[in-house]
Amino acid sequence: MIPEAFEYAAPAAIAEAIDLLASRGDDAKVLAGGHSLIPMMKLRLASPGVLVDIGRIPELRGIRVHSDMVTIGATTTHAQIEQSGDLRDRFPIMAETATVIGDPLVRHRGTFGGSLAHADPAADWPAVALALNATIHATGPSGDRTIAAREFFIDLFTSALEPGELLTAVDLPYPTLSTGMAYEKFAHPASGYAVIGIAAVIGVDADGICRDCRVGITGAGAKATRADAAEMTLLGELLTGERIRQASGHAGAEIDLLSDLVASERYRAHLVAVLTARALRTAWERARPLAAKNDWYAD
Amino acid sequence: MAKHSVSMTVNGQLHEGAVEPRLLLVHYLRDNLGLTGTHIGCDTSQCGACAILLDGEAVKSCTLFAVQAEGANLTTIEGIAAGERLHPIQEGFHAEHGLQCGYCTPGMVIAAYDLLQGNPDPTDAEIRHALHGNICRCTGYQHIVKAIQHAVATLRTRDAAVVGSAR
């Protein structure tokens, strides 16, 4: 399959990329890893007039550790995240998620920033970015700005990025409490995309009270969403297996569930509840290994 | 559309040319360079028949434009053997019946090569995980896993011999 003809530019700096995007408007498209865009172009679902390849901008790639957060450059690949020693200790959910995206060959090219900007409703990273309270950096003709993950996913394949804006990096703030995190995915067996994916982060205090709870859901609706009702059920409470089961029943309550040939609305609702329970339980076990295990087995 | 000049090293040899931006890397390799060992299977980034090494990493050459490989170092299946002498991974596929029709084999060998670079002693499960992006419709994969374990054993013996001879 051969895409429609286009012009190609590979700028070496962010400013140059922004200028190119500004001068060509809607006709321009950003090429990062290309593992969503190129298949779309081959099917002629996308036919941009010019591709701005940001793969040769060194400052967009790599993982930088700060005292209070880690910053992941937009064109950092899934494979780099999977193998990153800097992420392993603080954000084990990053490698856990990376390793279930696509396949090893796809992970060598597909990028973290590209996946977020594409806002595919079945992509994995949006759920994780929501659960980790990520902050997204964007640069455009009118300067730099930051966007909270919560404000970033707008609709089907639609993010908060303005035309001409480039996603440059993503900050992941370190958790301050004793925290566990987990990603649970039910993958479509052929495409590998998430039918449902649940990212859960749980922080507990010394008494086992849940002081932090963030759940990101992907695959369920037109965009990745936080499970507010489920989170509220757990915040401030002593965690037990029973309470987690209750909370999971509220997950997805806010979502207008998709129904398509992959899964019916009812099946999606079922998967959301089951996978939320699993993700929360695992996150909880990781936050307080002994307390969680004892309680779970006592139920 | 204006053509772009590209230059890349393929199997140790520098190639220069002018290509349309929309030319896929797999077409550049097969049609422009005549390296037809890299196959086009699904053409939708799923099957891995088009796998090559790009700067040492296995990638799907149907999902890259040739212009993206500007300046890169590529290895295709043609660059895996040492002249007429098969690479141990290729020997493994031969010895363990790791192929039937052979269409997926170049991609399988490339993916296995990538795996063994980073993990010279993989478990069967690790091999299967590494081959997740390579589809075979003939073998049922069992013999492919055996073929790669065969290569692991060959390479281990060879490395031991090299270490021994260096003493």
Side-chain angles (χ1 to χ4, degrees):
Chain A
M1 293 177 291
I2 299 176
E4 267 187 50
F6 57 87
E7 291 172 55
Y8 173 82
I14 292 174
E16 202 184 327
I18 299 300
D19 287 347
L20 277 163
L21 291 171
S23 68
R24 296 298 295 264
D26 288 348
D27 202 26
K29 193 88 183 142
V30 175
L31 174 66
H35 272 50
S36 295
L37 180 58
I38 295 176
M40 287 173 70
M41 290 174 66
K42 289 169 73 174
L43 293 166
R44 305 215 173 187
L45 295 171
S47 301
V50 58
L51 278 192
V52 179
D53 182 356
I54 58 168
R56 293 181 191 272
I57 305 178
E59 55 196 302
L60 287 179
R61 178 164 299 213
I63 297 163
R64 286 175 289 277
V65 177
H66 309 285
S67 59
D68 54 347
M69 64 182 176
V70 170
T71 301
I72 302 178
T75 58
T76 306
T77 63
H78 310 314
Q80 287 169 329
I81 289 173
E82 198 176 359
Q83 290 149 17
S84 165
D86 291 328
L87 290 173
R88 194 165 301 130
D89 294 339
R90 301 273 199 165
F91 299 106
I93 195 174
M94 295 300 288
E96 186 178 23
T97 304
T99 200
V100 296
I101 296 175
D103 60 60
L105 284 63
V106 166
R107 296 198 284 277
H108 281 147
R109 295 295 300 178
T111 68
F112 184 57
S115 170
L116 295 175
H118 189 51
D120 189 313
D124 300 284
W125 287 130
V128 177
L130 284 167
L132 291 178
N133 248 349
T135 299
I136 290 148
H137 291 260
T139 302
S142 46
D144 302 344
R145 66 177 179 129
T146 57
I147 309 161
R150 270 200 100 113
E151 315 296 327
F152 188 75
F153 303 104
I154 305 290
D155 204 349
L156 207 66
F157 298 105
T158 308
S159 76
L161 291 173
E162 298 290 341
E165 249 185 344
L166 183 67
L167 188 161
T168 56
V170 179
D171 293 336
L172 305 179
Y174 293 145
T176 48
L177 296 157
S178 172
T179 296
M181 43 188 84
Y183 186 64
E184 286 283 344
K185 173 181 185 176
F186 185 81
H188 187 275
S191 73
Y193 277 97
V195 178
I196 297 291
I198 305 286
V201 174
I202 284 188
V204 292
D205 67 15
D207 299 321
I209 307 291
C210 177
R211 297 296 177 195
D212 192 9
C213 177
R214 282 165 277 139
V215 177
I217 303 178
T218 192
K223 59 170 184 165
T225 316
R226 283 271 294 271
D228 294 318
E231 294 174 11
M232 291 307 293
T233 311
L234 297 179
L235 278 172
E237 302 291 336
L238 181 69
L239 289 178
T240 64
E242 181 51 35
R243 199 168 287 280
I244 282 179
R245 268 190 289 273
Q246 270 175 17
S248 304
H250 300 307
E254 307 83 352
I255 301 173
D256 188 9
L257 291 165
L258 294 171
S259 188
D260 54 26
L261 79 170
V262 171
S264 66
E265 188 180 329
R266 198 164 151 233
Y267 186 43
R268 276 196 165 84
H270 172 74
L271 284 175
V272 166
V274 169
L275 296 178
T276 301
R278 285 185 196 164
L280 283 169
R281 175 184 152 189
T282 305
W284 177 40
E285 284 177 359
R286 290 172 179 170
R288 274 180 61 97
L290 287 173
K293 280 214 177 76
N294 290 341
D295 181 273
W296 192 265
Y297 294 120
D299 277 348
Chain B
M1 289 288 163
K3 288 196 171 185
H4 281 247
S5 58
V6 288
S7 102
M8 61 191 89
T9 304
V10 184
N11 303 328
Q13 202 183 329
L14 183 69
H15 291 274
E16 290 176 333
V19 299
E20 257 195 285
R22 65 171 165 172
L23 183 70
L24 294 167
L25 183 57
V26 69
H27 290 138
Y28 179 71
L29 293 170
R30 288 175 56 86
D31 302 342
N32 294 36
L33 304 188
L35 296 169
T36 54
T38 301
H39 293 163
I40 301 173
C42 68
D43 208 4
T44 56
S45 332
Q46 316 230 358
C47 81
C50 65
I52 60 154
L53 297 172
L54 183 133
D55 292 332
E57 292 184 330
V59 300
K60 294 180 172 178
S61 64
C62 78
T63 312
L64 268 90
F65 296 116
V67 286
Q68 290 178 279
E70 161 65 22
N73 193 354
L74 276 53
T75 303
T76 67
I77 188 65
E78 289 90 346
I80 294 290
E84 291 297 305
R85 215 181 75 234
L86 293 180
H87 186 276
I89 297 171
Q90 294 170 308
E91 283 174 4
F93 274 76
H94 181 219
E96 298 289 347
H97 307 281
L99 61 140
Q100 288 175 31
C101 85
Y103 202 86
C104 73
T105 312
M108 289 287 177
V109 171
I110 293 287
Y113 188 97
D114 186 10
L115 167 70
L116 298 187
Q117 282 183 119
N119 181 359
D121 191 21
T123 63
D124 284 3
E126 285 167 342
I127 291 174
R128 287 174 186 277
H129 186 71
L131 298 182
H132 192 190
N134 296 77
I135 294 173
C136 172
R137 298 285 80 151
C138 303
T139 62
Y141 303 100
Q142 188 57 38
H143 289 288
I144 293 176
V145 175
K146 282 187 183 169
I148 295 167
Q149 288 294 16
H150 189 282
V152 167
T154 309
L155 287 164
R156 193 187 296 129
T157 313
R158 182 185 294 180
D159 289 350
V162 170
V163 171
S165 66
R167 272 199 199 115

